[in-house]
Amino acid sequence: NVSGSTNLDDSLNYQSQIQQGLQDAYQNRGNNSSLFANDKRAVEYYNAAYNGAKAAMAAYATATQSKGAGTQDYTYYGNTASKLNDDGSTHTSTNTTDGTPQQYGSTDDVNQGGANNPTDALNSSSKYEATLNGNLNTASNTSVKGNSTSNQISIPTSKTDTIVAARSSYQNDTNLGTAFDNAVNYVLSQYGQQDAETGKWQGVYNASNKSATQDWYLTTNPNSDTTNAYDQAYRGARAAMGQYFDKNNNYLGNGSVKTSSTNNTYYDQGFNDVVSQAAQGIAYVQNGYQFVSVLTGSTNTNGGGNVASGINTIRLANDTDLSGATNNENNPSVYSNSSTLTIDGQNHLMDYHGINYTIYSLKDLYVQNFQTLYGANFYGPYRAGNGSAIHFGSLNYVGPQL
C-alpha cells in the first residue's frame, strides 16, 4: 500500500531502490522489495518503479506480439521418435516425425534429427527440405511481420490505457507517480533503441524484390513525437547508424561519429548507444553496399579487400541484398584485422547471389541469426593456426535466390 499523499520530494533518498526496482523488472527478476522491509518508503519507491517497468513491458508485448522481425520462422527437424532422458531412461517423443518443420520452444526441441530407419529418414528429410523451400524461397517471404500500411505499428506510450490504469495507485503521491513514469519511459526508450539497432521494423515490401526495403515504423509514424520515449530513442539510434556512412554508402570508420548532446534525453540515449557499440567494434548496416563496405572497404559487391579497421561484428539492421554480386568464377578474398568476426543477421533476410567470400587472417567466423540466408558461400577462416572454425547458428538457408 502507498503512504498518504506528500508534496515533499524525498526521491533523492531512494534512488538506489528506484533503480533496483526498474532493473529487477526489466531484467525479469522477481520483486525484491522485501529487501527494504525495514523502510516502508523505500518499499514504496521500489514498487512504483518495478510496477511502472512491468506495465510498460506488458503493454509493449501486447502491441508487438508476432510483429516485426523475430524468431517466428525458425524451425528444426523433429524426426527423432525417441531419445534418452538425463537419467538414462528412454523418453518417447510426441513430436511429429514425418519431416514437418517443428517450431522452437515445442516439446523435445533439443538435439532432434535422425530417424529409426533409412526409408523414414529419406522421406522425412525430403519433406522437411521441400517445406522450407516452399516457405522461404518465394517472393512473399518477409522478415518483418505485420508489415502493412493498413496494419499500423502502434507502440505504447505513458498514455496507453493499461499503463494509466497501473499508475492509478500512485495518483495521490506525486513522487511515487514520477518514479512510476520514469520507469515506464526507461523501458520504452530501451525498446526503442533496441528495435532500431536490430531493425525490428525494417525489411522488404511484401512480394517485392529483395533490395526494396523500408522502415515500417517511420512510415506509419512519420512525425517525431518528442513526448514519446520509444519514438525518440528509436530515431536517435537510426540517425547514428546512418552517420557512419556517406551518401554513397562508404563506411567512414568506427570513430567517425561523435556523441549527441541535443538535450533530448531519449534521442541522445539511442544515438549514443550506437556510438558506444561502434567503439567496441560493432557496425550496423542497412543495405548490401554498406555491408560490403564494412566487410571489404569498398562498395563494389564483386570485390575483396579488408574488413574495416576495429570492426569485429557486422549486424544487419535491415534485409540486405548484394545486388550485382555474382560468383562467376569470382572468389573475392577478405582479410580481417581481428581474430574473430561475427556476421549477425538479427533475424533478417540476406541474399548473397552466390558470391564466394574467402576470409583470411581469422580464427573464428560466426554466421548467425538469419531468418533466411540466400545463396551464401563462406570459405575460411585460414592462416590462423589450429582450431580455426566457421560457426553457424540460428539460420534458415536456401540456395541461390530465384
Side-chain angles (χ1 to χ4, degrees), residues 46-330:
Y46 175 98
N47 282 331
Y50 186 92
N51 292 335
K54 281 296 187 184
M57 293 167 68
Y60 175 87
T62 297
T64 63
Q65 184 176 15
S66 300
K67 295 181 180 179
T71 60
Q72 301 98 320
D73 295 307
Y74 292 113
T75 64
Y76 70 94
Y77 175 48
N79 186 70
T80 299
S82 63
K83 67 177 183 179
L84 293 180
N85 291 322
D86 292 339
D87 62 5
S89 61
T90 299
H91 175 75
T92 300
S93 171
T94 58
N95 285 350
T96 302
T97 60
D98 65 352
T100 300
Q102 301 295 294
Q103 295 294 319
Y104 279 95
S106 57
T107 305
D108 294 332
D109 63 356
V110 179
N111 300 319
Q112 297 290 340
N116 289 341
N117 60 72
T119 299
D120 287 346
L122 175 61
N123 292 338
S124 63
S125 61
S126 296
K127 179 176 180 179
Y128 181 72
E129 181 179 7
T131 304
L132 286 188
N133 274 323
N135 292 338
L136 302 174
N137 200 22
T138 65
S140 60
N141 180 33
T142 60
S143 62
V144 181
K145 308 306 176 186
N147 55 349
S148 169
T149 54
S150 62
N151 185 10
Q152 183 165 347
I153 297 166
S154 180
I155 301 296
T157 72
S158 59
K159 304 301 183 184
T160 296
D161 289 346
T162 56
I163 295 177
V164 171
R167 191 190 187 281
S168 64
S169 300
Y170 308 105
Q171 61 186 356
N172 293 325
D173 191 315
T174 301
N175 302 315
L176 294 182
T178 298
F180 180 98
D181 293 341
N182 289 341
V184 168
N185 286 330
Y186 171 83
V187 168
L188 294 180
S189 67
Q190 291 294 310
Y191 285 150
Q193 70 183 38
Q194 172 184 295
D195 288 352
E197 290 168 357
T198 60
K200 183 177 180 68
W201 307 116
Q202 289 202 87
V204 300
Y205 301 117
N206 190 28
S208 75
N209 67 72
K210 295 295 187 236
S211 61
T213 68
Q214 76 173 23
D215 186 318
W216 295 91
Y217 174 76
L218 294 182
T219 297
T220 57
N221 298 275
N223 299 317
S224 175
D225 183 355
T226 57
T227 67
N228 185 328
Y230 179 98
D231 183 87
Q232 292 304 293
Y234 187 93
R235 292 176 192 274
R238 287 280 281 110
M241 288 188 287
Q243 289 190 24
Y244 282 94
F245 298 86
D246 66 17
K247 63 181 181 180
N248 295 316
N249 292 306
N250 294 296
Y251 186 63
L252 302 176
N254 65 338
S256 61
V257 179
K258 305 303 179 185
T259 57
S260 176
S261 56
T262 66
N263 293 321
N264 182 323
T265 300
Y266 299 117
Y267 179 95
D268 289 345
Q269 174 188 304
F271 191 104
N272 293 336
D273 189 67
V274 173
V275 174
S276 175
Q277 292 190 59
Q280 300 171 44
I282 298 171
Y284 289 96
V285 301
Q286 299 179 63
N287 59 55
Y289 297 110
Q290 290 184 1
F291 175 81
V292 296
S293 179
V294 175
L295 184 67
T296 70
S298 169
T299 57
N300 177 10
T301 56
N302 253 330
N306 300 301
V307 178
S309 178
I311 295 300
N312 53 59
T313 302
I314 303 174
R315 290 180 178 167
L316 274 60
N318 197 353
D319 293 342
T320 302
D321 180 79
L322 297 189
S323 295
T326 174
N327 55 9
N328 280 349
E329 305 294 331
N330 184 24

Side-chain angles (χ1 to χ4, degrees), residues 69-74 135-136 141-145 319 345-350 368-374 394-398:
T71 60
Q72 301 98 320
D73 295 307
Y74 292 113
N135 292 338
L136 302 174
N141 180 33
T142 60
S143 62
V144 181
K145 308 306 176 186
D319 293 342
Q346 297 200 116
N347 305 314
H348 285 287
L349 312 177
M350 187 168 189
Q368 61 196 34
N369 303 322
F370 282 89
Q371 196 268 328
T372 313
L373 184 62
Y374 295 103
S394 298
L395 60 84
N396 293 317
Y397 172 76
V398 176

